[in-house]
Amino acid sequence: MFATNMISRRLIASRSPFQQIGRSPMAIRRSTNNTTTTTAKDAAKKSETIAAKPSSTTTTAAEESTKSFAERNPFIFQLGVATAKTSAADIMVQVVVEKKKWNEIDLKRNGIFVVFGFAYLGGFQYWLMVNKFNKWFPTRARFATLTLGEKLKDTAGMIDAFKMVAFDVFVHLPLIYFPCYYTCKEIVTGTSWNPLVWMKDGVSKYWNNKEEDCLAMIKLWGPSDCIQFSMPIHISMPFRHLVSFFWTAYVSFTRGGSNEEDNKLKRTLSVSGDSAKIEK
């Protein structure tokens, strides 16, 4: 009996670890291989998924690269257009209306118009019609991206567009633009070196011409604003500057040129405190 128990213990001890747990070495190998294969497949799928989905940074960079300079830099683009347009309009007036030769162009006068185009038309108007209008009329950006058919169905967008046109025609142009324009013109063609006199004379001349100017303004800027405020923002201001070129030319033609020598003499008399009647 004792000998039989000893033999049984030796047989159990001689079994392999795999046999003791009831699994063969081949089964263990197959299980390990299957696990390794599954892990490899999962890793491959994850890699494909990551490769198929580009990062947001890459997408943003690609979108930016497809945009035009005007879309990427709307303020800088329209600022350049406003400045160049105002300078070109003044040069055209000097050459066409005042019959000056190219070598007789008044560069100082042109520089004043460049400052007006840069500071007021390119700077202030952008702040007003883009920064402030986007806050005052929140549907503007969305409305500008719609098709014509979608715009006609967008009641809120149509109402905001009408409000922008009304604000420009009845508030901005008659109360802000015209006084600034006439004051700038008085700096060039006025009879004094006193800035207060420039403002007084400029506003006085605007008041005398208000009916004609406002009627012409409504005829031009009313329809123009209806187009401008339905455009994407990055081209709406350059479009306005293009219309403004012809508007400046119209005002210059209707007002005519100025007698530069008389103005210089008047300013000299004003500075010296003398007065004289200048015969035309």
Side-chain angles (χ1 to χ4, degrees), residues 97-266:
V97 179
E98 300 176 4
K99 307 298 182 183
K100 292 182 179 180
K101 297 180 181 179
W102 286 98
N103 60 355
E104 296 175 344
I105 291 176
D106 188 344
L107 297 180
K108 181 179 180 180
R109 161 183 165 171
N110 187 256
I112 294 175
F113 279 94
V114 167
V115 172
F116 178 77
F118 179 86
Y120 184 89
L121 301 180
F124 174 78
Q125 280 196 155
Y126 185 91
W127 172 82
L128 176 66
M129 296 187 174
V130 175
N131 295 348
K132 304 308 293 184
F133 274 23
N134 285 346
K135 294 180 180 179
W136 296 341
F137 311 106
T139 65
R140 183 189 181 185
R142 175 184 57 77
F143 185 75
T145 62
L146 302 178
T147 63
L148 178 59
E150 292 172 336
K151 284 183 171 70
L152 296 176
K153 297 177 182 178
D154 188 350
T155 304
M158 293 284 286
I159 292 175
D160 273 356
F162 176 78
K163 289 179 180 178
M164 287 186 282
V165 174
F167 183 90
D168 187 40
V169 172
F170 296 110
V171 178
H172 167 236
L173 290 173
L175 301 181
I176 303 176
Y177 168 80
F178 273 124
C180 290
Y181 174 82
Y182 272 92
T183 300
C184 182
K185 185 177 180 182
E186 198 63 24
I187 294 174
V188 179
T189 63
T191 60
S192 173
W193 294 101
N194 189 339
L196 295 178
V197 175
W198 296 339
M199 296 176 62
K200 179 182 176 181
D201 290 349
V203 172
S204 297
K205 290 181 179 179
Y206 165 51
W207 185 257
N208 293 334
N209 299 325
K210 64 181 183 302
E211 294 180 1
E212 181 182 355
D213 286 347
C214 289
L215 180 61
M217 173 265 294
I218 292 174
K219 289 181 178 179
L220 176 64
W221 290 108
S224 172
D225 282 352
C226 292
I227 299 174
Q228 176 192 347
F229 296 129
S230 64
M231 287 180 163
I233 294 176
H234 70 278
I235 61 174
S236 65
M237 291 304 296
F239 171 79
R240 184 180 185 86
H241 298 323
L242 176 64
V243 176
S244 179
F245 177 88
F246 296 100
W247 168 256
T248 302
Y250 164 78
V251 173
S252 297
F253 279 121
T254 55
R255 297 292 171 260
S258 60
N259 191 322
E260 185 178 359
E261 294 301 324
D262 286 354
N263 287 332
K264 286 182 178 179
L265 178 57
K266 289 178 182 178

Side-chain angles (χ1 to χ4, degrees), residues 56-87:
S56 58
T57 304
T58 305
T59 303
T60 303
E63 291 176 353
E64 287 294 325
S65 64
T66 60
K67 291 182 179 180
S68 64
F69 178 82
E71 291 177 289
R72 297 194 307 270
N73 306 278
F75 173 72
I76 296 176
F77 178 73
Q78 67 84 37
L79 188 66
V81 173
T83 306
K85 175 271 304 180
T86 310
S87 175

